[in-house]
Amino acid sequence: MSGIYIHIPFCKQACHYCDFHFSTSMKKKEEMVLAIAKEIQMRKSEFKNEIVETIYFGGGTPSVLTSAEINFLIAEVYKYYSVSDNPEITLEANPDDLSSERIIELSKSKINRLSIGIQSFFEDDLQLMNRAHNSAEARKCLEVATQYFDNISLDLIYGIPDSSQNGEQAQQMSNEKWKQNIETALSFGIPHISSYALTVEPKTALNKLIQTGKIAAPKDDVAQEHFAILIEMLEANDFIHYELSNFGKENYFSKNNSAYWLGKKYIGIGPSAHSYDGVSRSWNVSNNALYLKSIQEGKIPNEIEILSVMDRYNEYVMTGLRTIWGVSLDKIESEFGSGYLEYLNNQSRKFLDDDLLFIENGILKPTKKGKFLTDGIASDLFILN
């Protein structure tokens, strides 16, 4: 199983928390679509023996593309790659782009999965995050989308400071408010939810607002409470917590994301997109102008890193602990050697003793208590030199 990720580097406006690569100027959008199509063609030899089972439009905000542009790029993938009979084709979209007419248009295309950036159903949260949509648009797009798409995921963010105190030391989002967000999402019958703690990245507007005292900093203990509430409520509604931030009903796991976590090959197309072929990782330049210039000259504007055994071990531990598939001790020994297994056993002992990790049928996994701490635990299991 292989996948193609297409990065659309445009947004209508910058969300305060986002540090992904994008531009709010749409002047080069048509030129970018043609360049992305050219990169799709230029890289066909990388997948000459592969069957593409997922196509994923990420960003940025891919829903700023017209339906014709989306259909054109999908057609280019079909033209140059072997695509499975029933691929998962996902479009990330924002509610303000999903009018009833647009949803109907998309339902007639090859797009068969929508990933909708709701983030919150509360107006004050959306304003604090500088989202382009409002609460009414969030609800309306879900009402219509569920009539035309069976496979829908939505994003929610927890641990958001309450901005209603206008610059005073604000409270954090209450547990009750967070429960209302989850209940509203569940009321639409959505089969997949991705949920993340609000994270403060260095070069973002959110970081500046916190430093100047206009917004309170998110608190880890509040986020941890929200995470526990999220797990409890979603599991009670038949969702499977298959990855740290992802919950899906049976047969509705994201095939694109699952392939990434399970170490499958993928090609990333567009500015800043990453690719992985099992032994190396590459990433395109995070600059729209340089990307366009390079593609027009017939060059792939990327850097390549050959992954060492240590790199691959660290990556497997990181992704494995985040998922229900865990870290196979047999795989550690067979792929990386007995020295790596011995190191992992030694490093994980303290987390086993503290009931943060457990071993079941030769698989190392986080306990319920350890799930929120997964990334920190994984870093302690890495080999750094």
mmCIF file with all atom_site columns, all heavy atoms in Angstrom, residues 295-308:
data_model
loop_
_atom_site.group_PDB
_atom_site.id
_atom_site.type_symbol
_atom_site.label_atom_id
_atom_site.label_alt_id
_atom_site.label_comp_id
_atom_site.label_asym_id
_atom_site.label_entity_id
_atom_site.label_seq_id
_atom_site.pdbx_PDB_ins_code
_atom_site.Cartn_x
_atom_site.Cartn_y
_atom_site.Cartn_z
_atom_site.occupancy
_atom_site.B_iso_or_equiv
_atom_site.pdbx_formal_charge
_atom_site.auth_seq_id
_atom_site.auth_comp_id
_atom_site.auth_asym_id
_atom_site.auth_atom_id
_atom_site.pdbx_PDB_model_num
ATOM 1   N N   . ILE A 1 295 ? 10.428 23.767 -10.110 1.00 0.00 ? 295 ILE A N   1
ATOM 2   C CA  . ILE A 1 295 ? 9.601  22.861 -10.925 1.00 0.00 ? 295 ILE A CA  1
ATOM 3   C C   . ILE A 1 295 ? 9.587  23.312 -12.381 1.00 0.00 ? 295 ILE A C   1
ATOM 4   O O   . ILE A 1 295 ? 9.677  22.492 -13.308 1.00 0.00 ? 295 ILE A O   1
ATOM 5   C CB  . ILE A 1 295 ? 8.157  22.796 -10.360 1.00 0.00 ? 295 ILE A CB  1
ATOM 6   C CG1 . ILE A 1 295 ? 8.145  22.107 -8.989  1.00 0.00 ? 295 ILE A CG1 1
ATOM 7   C CG2 . ILE A 1 295 ? 7.233  22.055 -11.326 1.00 0.00 ? 295 ILE A CG2 1
ATOM 8   C CD1 . ILE A 1 295 ? 8.531  20.648 -8.979  1.00 0.00 ? 295 ILE A CD1 1
ATOM 9   N N   . GLN A 1 296 ? 9.506  24.626 -12.595 1.00 0.00 ? 296 GLN A N   1
ATOM 10  C CA  . GLN A 1 296 ? 9.522  25.147 -13.971 1.00 0.00 ? 296 GLN A CA  1
ATOM 11  C C   . GLN A 1 296 ? 10.833 24.823 -14.678 1.00 0.00 ? 296 GLN A C   1
ATOM 12  O O   . GLN A 1 296 ? 10.877 24.689 -15.906 1.00 0.00 ? 296 GLN A O   1
ATOM 13  C CB  . GLN A 1 296 ? 9.265  26.661 -13.954 1.00 0.00 ? 296 GLN A CB  1
ATOM 14  C CG  . GLN A 1 296 ? 7.810  27.013 -13.644 1.00 0.00 ? 296 GLN A CG  1
ATOM 15  C CD  . GLN A 1 296 ? 7.615  28.444 -13.163 1.00 0.00 ? 296 GLN A CD  1
ATOM 16  O OE1 . GLN A 1 296 ? 8.569  29.218 -13.071 1.00 0.00 ? 296 GLN A OE1 1
ATOM 17  N NE2 . GLN A 1 296 ? 6.377  28.805 -12.832 1.00 0.00 ? 296 GLN A NE2 1
ATOM 18  N N   . GLU A 1 297 ? 11.908 24.682 -13.896 1.00 0.00 ? 297 GLU A N   1
ATOM 19  C CA  . GLU A 1 297 ? 13.216 24.310 -14.455 1.00 0.00 ? 297 GLU A CA  1
ATOM 20  C C   . GLU A 1 297 ? 13.397 22.798 -14.556 1.00 0.00 ? 297 GLU A C   1
ATOM 21  O O   . GLU A 1 297 ? 14.464 22.316 -14.946 1.00 0.00 ? 297 GLU A O   1
ATOM 22  C CB  . GLU A 1 297 ? 14.330 24.911 -13.593 1.00 0.00 ? 297 GLU A CB  1
ATOM 23  C CG  . GLU A 1 297 ? 14.390 26.435 -13.640 1.00 0.00 ? 297 GLU A CG  1
ATOM 24  C CD  . GLU A 1 297 ? 15.369 27.015 -12.621 1.00 0.00 ? 297 GLU A CD  1
ATOM 25  O OE1 . GLU A 1 297 ? 15.893 26.227 -11.788 1.00 0.00 ? 297 GLU A OE1 1
ATOM 26  O OE2 . GLU A 1 297 ? 15.605 28.244 -12.662 1.00 0.00 ? 297 GLU A OE2 1
ATOM 27  N N   . GLY A 1 298 ? 12.348 22.053 -14.170 1.00 0.00 ? 298 GLY A N   1
ATOM 28  C CA  . GLY A 1 298 ? 12.412 20.596 -14.276 1.00 0.00 ? 298 GLY A CA  1
ATOM 29  C C   . GLY A 1 298 ? 13.175 19.923 -13.150 1.00 0.00 ? 298 GLY A C   1
ATOM 30  O O   . GLY A 1 298 ? 13.661 18.793 -13.308 1.00 0.00 ? 298 GLY A O   1
ATOM 31  N N   . LYS A 1 299 ? 13.278 20.604 -11.993 1.00 0.00 ? 299 LYS A N   1
ATOM 32  C CA  . LYS A 1 299 ? 14.011 20.031 -10.858 1.00 0.00 ? 299 LYS A CA  1
ATOM 33  C C   . LYS A 1 299 ? 13.064 19.841 -9.670  1.00 0.00 ? 299 LYS A C   1
ATOM 34  O O   . LYS A 1 299 ? 12.195 20.679 -9.429  1.00 0.00 ? 299 LYS A O   1
ATOM 35  C CB  . LYS A 1 299 ? 15.143 20.972 -10.421 1.00 0.00 ? 299 LYS A CB  1
ATOM 36  C CG  . LYS A 1 299 ? 16.151 21.288 -11.516 1.00 0.00 ? 299 LYS A CG  1
ATOM 37  C CD  . LYS A 1 299 ? 17.096 22.389 -11.033 1.00 0.00 ? 299 LYS A CD  1
ATOM 38  C CE  . LYS A 1 299 ? 18.005 22.879 -12.161 1.00 0.00 ? 299 LYS A CE  1
ATOM 39  N NZ  . LYS A 1 299 ? 18.788 24.061 -11.739 1.00 0.00 ? 299 LYS A NZ  1
ATOM 40  N N   . ILE A 1 300 ? 13.272 18.741 -8.929  1.00 0.00 ? 300 ILE A N   1
ATOM 41  C CA  . ILE A 1 300 ? 12.520 18.537 -7.689  1.00 0.00 ? 300 ILE A CA  1
ATOM 42  C C   . ILE A 1 300 ? 13.239 19.308 -6.581  1.00 0.00 ? 300 ILE A C   1
ATOM 43  O O   . ILE A 1 300 ? 14.393 19.025 -6.276  1.00 0.00 ? 300 ILE A O   1
ATOM 44  C CB  . ILE A 1 300 ? 12.449 17.041 -7.312  1.00 0.00 ? 300 ILE A CB  1
ATOM 45  C CG1 . ILE A 1 300 ? 11.887 16.207 -8.460  1.00 0.00 ? 300 ILE A CG1 1
ATOM 46  C CG2 . ILE A 1 300 ? 11.610 16.861 -6.047  1.00 0.00 ? 300 ILE A CG2 1
ATOM 47  C CD1 . ILE A 1 300 ? 10.454 16.486 -8.790  1.00 0.00 ? 300 ILE A CD1 1
ATOM 48  N N   . PRO A 1 301 ? 12.581 20.282 -5.965  1.00 0.00 ? 301 PRO A N   1
ATOM 49  C CA  . PRO A 1 301 ? 13.253 21.137 -4.970  1.00 0.00 ? 301 PRO A CA  1
ATOM 50  C C   . PRO A 1 301 ? 13.262 20.522 -3.579  1.00 0.00 ? 301 PRO A C   1
ATOM 51  O O   . PRO A 1 301 ? 12.667 21.038 -2.637  1.00 0.00 ? 301 PRO A O   1
ATOM 52  C CB  . PRO A 1 301 ? 12.405 22.404 -5.009  1.00 0.00 ? 301 PRO A CB  1
ATOM 53  C CG  . PRO A 1 301 ? 11.025 21.896 -5.297  1.00 0.00 ? 301 PRO A CG  1
ATOM 54  C CD  . PRO A 1 301 ? 11.181 20.694 -6.184  1.00 0.00 ? 301 PRO A CD  1
ATOM 55  N N   . ASN A 1 302 ? 13.952 19.382 -3.443  1.00 0.00 ? 302 ASN A N   1
ATOM 56  C CA  . ASN A 1 302 ? 13.892 18.712 -2.146  1.00 0.00 ? 302 ASN A CA  1
ATOM 57  C C   . ASN A 1 302 ? 15.260 18.372 -1.587  1.00 0.00 ? 302 ASN A C   1
ATOM 58  O O   . ASN A 1 302 ? 16.268 18.407 -2.288  1.00 0.00 ? 302 ASN A O   1
ATOM 59  C CB  . ASN A 1 302 ? 13.037 17.436 -2.243  1.00 0.00 ? 302 ASN A CB  1
ATOM 60  C CG  . ASN A 1 302 ? 13.639 16.391 -3.166  1.00 0.00 ? 302 ASN A CG  1
ATOM 61  O OD1 . ASN A 1 302 ? 14.739 16.549 -3.683  1.00 0.00 ? 302 ASN A OD1 1
ATOM 62  N ND2 . ASN A 1 302 ? 12.912 15.311 -3.379  1.00 0.00 ? 302 ASN A ND2 1
ATOM 63  N N   . GLU A 1 303 ? 15.275 18.071 -0.311  1.00 0.00 ? 303 GLU A N   1
ATOM 64  C CA  . GLU A 1 303 ? 16.455 17.532 0.361   1.00 0.00 ? 303 GLU A CA  1
ATOM 65  C C   . GLU A 1 303 ? 16.150 16.097 0.750   1.00 0.00 ? 303 GLU A C   1
ATOM 66  O O   . GLU A 1 303 ? 15.006 15.768 1.077   1.00 0.00 ? 303 GLU A O   1
ATOM 67  C CB  . GLU A 1 303 ? 16.788 18.344 1.617   1.00 0.00 ? 303 GLU A CB  1
ATOM 68  C CG  . GLU A 1 303 ? 17.256 19.760 1.340   1.00 0.00 ? 303 GLU A CG  1
ATOM 69  C CD  . GLU A 1 303 ? 17.643 20.469 2.630   1.00 0.00 ? 303 GLU A CD  1
ATOM 70  O OE1 . GLU A 1 303 ? 18.393 19.868 3.435   1.00 0.00 ? 303 GLU A OE1 1
ATOM 71  O OE2 . GLU A 1 303 ? 17.182 21.603 2.833   1.00 0.00 ? 303 GLU A OE2 1
ATOM 72  N N   . ILE A 1 304 ? 17.174 15.243 0.727   1.00 0.00 ? 304 ILE A N   1
ATOM 73  C CA  . ILE A 1 304 ? 16.979 13.822 1.029   1.00 0.00 ? 304 ILE A CA  1
ATOM 74  C C   . ILE A 1 304 ? 17.882 13.416 2.187   1.00 0.00 ? 304 ILE A C   1
ATOM 75  O O   . ILE A 1 304 ? 19.058 13.793 2.234   1.00 0.00 ? 304 ILE A O   1
ATOM 76  C CB  . ILE A 1 304 ? 17.293 12.955 -0.209  1.00 0.00 ? 304 ILE A CB  1
ATOM 77  C CG1 . ILE A 1 304 ? 16.365 13.327 -1.375  1.00 0.00 ? 304 ILE A CG1 1
ATOM 78  C CG2 . ILE A 1 304 ? 17.145 11.463 0.127   1.00 0.00 ? 304 ILE A CG2 1
ATOM 79  C CD1 . ILE A 1 304 ? 16.690 12.629 -2.685  1.00 0.00 ? 304 ILE A CD1 1
ATOM 80  N N   . GLU A 1 305 ? 17.316 12.643 3.102   1.00 0.00 ? 305 GLU A N   1
ATOM 81  C CA  . GLU A 1 305 ? 18.069 12.114 4.230   1.00 0.00 ? 305 GLU A CA  1
ATOM 82  C C   . GLU A 1 305 ? 17.962 10.593 4.212   1.00 0.00 ? 305 GLU A C   1
ATOM 83  O O   . GLU A 1 305 ? 16.848 10.046 4.221   1.00 0.00 ? 305 GLU A O   1
ATOM 84  C CB  . GLU A 1 305 ? 17.504 12.644 5.548   1.00 0.00 ? 305 GLU A CB  1
ATOM 85  C CG  . GLU A 1 305 ? 18.135 12.032 6.787   1.00 0.00 ? 305 GLU A CG  1
ATOM 86  C CD  . GLU A 1 305 ? 17.395 12.371 8.070   1.00 0.00 ? 305 GLU A CD  1
ATOM 87  O OE1 . GLU A 1 305 ? 16.228 12.818 7.990   1.00 0.00 ? 305 GLU A OE1 1
ATOM 88  O OE2 . GLU A 1 305 ? 17.973 12.171 9.146   1.00 0.00 ? 305 GLU A OE2 1
ATOM 89  N N   . ILE A 1 306 ? 19.097 9.893  4.145   1.00 0.00 ? 306 ILE A N   1
ATOM 90  C CA  . ILE A 1 306 ? 19.098 8.443  4.252   1.00 0.00 ? 306 ILE A CA  1
ATOM 91  C C   . ILE A 1 306 ? 18.994 8.086  5.726   1.00 0.00 ? 306 ILE A C   1
ATOM 92  O O   . ILE A 1 306 ? 19.792 8.550  6.547   1.00 0.00 ? 306 ILE A O   1
ATOM 93  C CB  . ILE A 1 306 ? 20.377 7.822  3.642   1.00 0.00 ? 306 ILE A CB  1
ATOM 94  C CG1 . ILE A 1 306 ? 20.552 8.271  2.189   1.00 0.00 ? 306 ILE A CG1 1
ATOM 95  C CG2 . ILE A 1 306 ? 20.328 6.302  3.742   1.00 0.00 ? 306 ILE A CG2 1
ATOM 96  C CD1 . ILE A 1 306 ? 19.437 7.855  1.259   1.00 0.00 ? 306 ILE A CD1 1
ATOM 97  N N   . LEU A 1 307 ? 18.002 7.298  6.066   1.00 0.00 ? 307 LEU A N   1
ATOM 98  C CA  . LEU A 1 307 ? 17.758 6.982  7.468   1.00 0.00 ? 307 LEU A CA  1
ATOM 99  C C   . LEU A 1 307 ? 18.687 5.861  7.945   1.00 0.00 ? 307 LEU A C   1
ATOM 100 O O   . LEU A 1 307 ? 18.779 4.808  7.320   1.00 0.00 ? 307 LEU A O   1
ATOM 101 C CB  . LEU A 1 307 ? 16.299 6.559  7.665   1.00 0.00 ? 307 LEU A CB  1
ATOM 102 C CG  . LEU A 1 307 ? 15.257 7.625  7.299   1.00 0.00 ? 307 LEU A CG  1
ATOM 103 C CD1 . LEU A 1 307 ? 13.856 7.043  7.401   1.00 0.00 ? 307 LEU A CD1 1
ATOM 104 C CD2 . LEU A 1 307 ? 15.394 8.839  8.195   1.00 0.00 ? 307 LEU A CD2 1
ATOM 105 N N   . SER A 1 308 ? 19.356 6.079  9.047   1.00 0.00 ? 308 SER A N   1
ATOM 106 C CA  . SER A 1 308 ? 20.204 5.058  9.650   1.00 0.00 ? 308 SER A CA  1
ATOM 107 C C   . SER A 1 308 ? 19.323 4.047  10.386  1.00 0.00 ? 308 SER A C   1
ATOM 108 O O   . SER A 1 308 ? 18.124 4.272  10.583  1.00 0.00 ? 308 SER A O   1
ATOM 109 C CB  . SER A 1 308 ? 21.177 5.701  10.642  1.00 0.00 ? 308 SER A CB  1
ATOM 110 O OG  . SER A 1 308 ? 20.465 6.253  11.740  1.00 0.00 ? 308 SER A OG  1
#
